[in-house]
Amino acid sequence: QAELGKPQRSCYTLPGFDFSYGLYIHRTDGGVPEAIGHWNTVKPRTGLVQKMPRDFITMNRGALKAGYTTAHEFNLYYKAKDIRRKNGEHSHFKRCPPEVPADLTYGITTRSCTSFSDLLQHKYKELWMEQQRALTAALRVEKKKV
């Protein structure tokens, strides 16, 4: 019961030092001798064979050749002639990957390297200044024409 005027504690009392956590399973908890002496292996299931998906394209073609046109007739044909796909037909990887040259690199190409000598000599600043001078000179010539 909560003490008067104090909030309830949000923790539980833990068991004593002699308590061990977890489950003890008699069949498999034999320690190392049990693990070495008995190999519990899973036997493969032979009865579980994956059913291949239906080949609706072939069944639809056959139903049309037989003269069926309504959905009810198609369903009856599906029940009568259950055609399944072949083993490799439903695989997404039935085609080989395209042949590509050995030196082809996917993705975005890297930009050309900037030489350190151009950076140290302020080459890019000089180029920008020349462009600005040419632009202002072109604007002056245009103003004189007006």
Side-chain angles (χ1 to χ4, degrees):
Q1 192 167 357
E3 299 176 25
L4 188 61
K6 292 185 179 177
Q8 277 189 327
R9 294 184 181 163
S10 61
C11 59
Y12 299 100
T13 56
L14 296 175
F17 290 106
D18 59 337
F19 182 78
S20 61
Y21 293 92
L23 294 174
Y24 180 79
I25 303 172
H26 295 285
R27 286 183 294 121
T28 59
D29 276 355
V32 175
E34 180 79 19
I36 292 175
H38 305 288
W39 293 98
N40 295 329
T41 58
V42 178
K43 306 272 189 289
R45 296 181 189 174
T46 56
L48 185 65
V49 177
Q50 181 185 5
K51 251 185 155 179
M52 300 307 284
R54 288 175 139 186
D55 191 1
F56 284 102
I57 296 171
T58 308
M59 286 194 293
N60 287 346
R61 192 178 298 128
L64 285 174
K65 284 181 183 176
Y68 299 133
T69 55
T70 64
H72 180 69
E73 291 171 338
F74 268 70
N75 283 332
L76 291 175
Y77 185 83
Y78 292 161
K79 289 177 186 172
K81 308 241 176 164
D82 188 21
I83 301 171
R84 298 286 172 169
R85 290 176 131 185
K86 305 251 184 318
N87 226 357
E89 267 184 55
H90 74 289
S91 173
H92 296 291
F93 303 106
K94 64 182 175 182
R95 288 181 290 142
C96 294
E99 291 291 327
V100 272
D103 60 342
L104 177 76
T105 305
Y106 290 100
I108 301 170
T109 57
T110 57
R111 63 185 194 138
S112 61
C113 296
T114 306
S115 67
F116 281 105
S117 61
D118 290 346
L119 290 174
L120 293 174
Q121 295 172 0
H122 302 289
K123 190 86 158 200
Y124 296 104
K125 178 187 138 195
E126 296 298 326
L127 287 172
W128 183 79
M129 292 294 286
E130 287 177 20
Q131 288 173 353
Q132 295 302 316
R133 286 183 199 125
L135 185 64
T136 54
L139 288 174
R140 277 191 208 136
V141 169
E142 201 172 304
K143 270 188 179 179
K144 285 181 182 178
K145 285 182 182 178
V146 173

